[in-house]
Amino acid sequence: PPPASYWVCISFALQTKPWRKLKNMVHWSPCIVSFRKRYPWVQLAGHAGNFKAGDLGRILKKYCSNEQQCLERLASDILQPYVPAYYGLVEHDGEAYIQMEDLLSGFDVPSIMDCKMGVRTYLEEELEKAREQPCPRRDMYDKMVAVDPAAPSPEEHAQRGVLKPRYMQWREALSSTTTLGFRIEGIKKADGACSTSFKKTRQPEQVAQAIWDFVDHDRHVLVSYLERLKDVRLALEQSDFFKAHEVVGSSLLFVHDRTGLARIWMIDFGKTVPLPAKQTLTHRLPWVEGNREDGYLWGLDNLITILEKMLSE
């Protein structure tokens, strides 16, 4: 099944959004959202128990040792303002949860976009393990056929299964992950419209159109996002944590509301792993299996360039 980070918890006023509409909303990725004011806290289309409401301004996310260790280290890093605040571990119904900041608590009916950063969303170790234990996957074959019936080879069609490394690399090549070093994972707008149809969004022009739609052509919001992205990039380039970690499957969470408030945070560190002692990454060099480069900064450079071009036109 998809990792826990792919399931969304969204805060909504049930009296303005009928339950059937909420229930039919597509899941996409990571927004960590708890109830605020009088609005109920609703978890949609996910694994029950991955997210729970915490105290006001906090949420609980099912324990993951990688993520917990990253948030703990990031609390004393220059990146601290750009990640959710970490409040330690708590136990709920016999299970461990990470207690962290609810990033949406200061927004009034926010719009949310998730951008998955880097040139791959799988660790090198995942490829190695899949090769050591090859097992054709029917679920991955079905996902491939749903997007492109011609994508599987004759052999894959015959066995109605694809190997995990093959599926992962095919999936990345479809989107802007390989062409730009990031991809839009999903967008949820303030009016409730939710879209995850970005699997084949590969070109800068397509990305720009999706972002314009996300911000409702509001240049003020776009300027705020661009400034925040540049701040994030500067912090990343100076971060001791970032130099010493392979950052895979992590997202940038874009949030704005009708007041014009706009912020971006780094989220989802379940696949962020420390490098061997004395090894560092540029996060810009092309990935070749074995060098562990993740392309995070290359993708961020491209995202900034796209926003700059949008504002210049």
Side-chain angles (χ1 to χ4, degrees), residues 19-270:
W19 172 246
R20 64 180 178 276
K21 184 172 182 179
L22 283 175
K23 208 167 75 170
N24 291 335
M25 274 186 183
V26 211
H27 61 73
W28 35 282
S29 145
C31 6
I32 325 171
V33 190
S34 69
F35 63 83
R36 51 190 295 265
K37 299 181 181 175
R38 68 181 184 277
Y39 299 156
W41 184 84
V42 180
Q43 182 172 5
L44 301 179
H47 298 300
N50 280 335
F51 296 93
K52 292 185 182 293
D55 296 331
L56 189 63
R58 299 182 183 186
I59 60 106
L60 307 181
K61 186 176 182 180
K62 205 164 189 177
Y63 175 74
C64 164
S65 59
N66 269 3
E67 184 144 40
Q68 184 266 332
Q69 290 169 22
C70 288
L71 290 172
E72 200 168 48
R73 292 169 185 162
L74 284 163
S76 57
D77 190 83
I78 195 170
L79 287 172
Q80 186 277 324
Y82 307 106
V83 300
Y86 170 65
Y87 298 113
L89 297 177
V90 296
E91 190 176 300
H92 193 280
D93 294 334
E95 289 195 83
Y97 288 85
I98 298 169
Q99 187 174 211
M100 65 178 78
E101 177 185 8
D102 173 6
L103 298 176
L104 302 195
S105 62
F107 291 86
D108 184 17
V109 193
S111 293
I112 306 159
M113 177 172 72
D114 176 83
C115 280
K116 191 73 70 181
M117 301 302 296
V119 294
R120 56 191 167 92
T121 58
Y122 50 86
L123 293 166
E124 291 190 359
E125 288 79 359
E126 291 180 86
L127 289 180
E128 293 166 11
K129 184 177 178 181
R131 290 193 190 107
E132 290 168 4
Q133 302 172 351
C135 177
R137 296 273 298 270
R138 173 64 185 267
D139 59 331
M140 293 181 175
Y141 169 81
D142 290 342
K143 289 177 183 177
M144 185 181 281
V145 169
V147 174
D148 181 2
S153 67
E155 181 185 356
E156 288 165 342
H157 274 306
Q159 65 189 8
R160 300 182 71 79
V162 298
L163 297 176
K164 188 175 180 181
R166 152 92 164 117
Y167 172 77
M168 291 190 294
Q169 292 173 328
W170 167 82
R171 181 190 62 186
E172 310 294 54
L174 272 183
S175 71
S176 57
T177 290
T178 51
T179 56
L180 297 173
F182 72 91
R183 71 170 181 249
I184 298 175
E185 193 78 356
I187 289 175
K188 197 284 295 181
K189 296 181 69 174
D191 64 4
C194 191
S195 177
T196 60
S197 57
F198 303 103
K199 288 184 177 66
K200 294 185 177 180
T201 300
R202 302 184 80 246
Q203 302 305 320
E205 297 77 17
Q206 295 173 299
V207 172
Q209 185 55 54
I211 294 174
W212 273 129
D213 182 62
F214 168 58
V215 300
D216 288 320
H217 293 268
D218 188 325
R219 293 177 65 86
H220 169 77
V221 169
L222 199 62
V223 167
S224 295
Y225 277 145
L226 178 58
E227 291 172 353
R228 181 79 168 180
L229 285 174
K230 289 180 176 180
D231 289 344
V232 170
R233 180 170 64 181
L234 183 61
L236 285 167
E237 290 172 337
Q238 298 173 356
S239 167
D240 292 331
F241 175 92
F242 191 59
K243 287 185 182 76
H245 283 77
E246 180 183 359
V247 184
V248 169
S250 182
S251 291
L252 288 177
L253 184 68
F254 292 66
V255 187
H256 68 270
D257 64 18
R258 57 190 174 189
T259 71
L261 180 64
R263 294 285 185 272
I264 298 171
W265 288 274
M266 297 174 65
I267 61 168
D268 286 350
F269 300 102

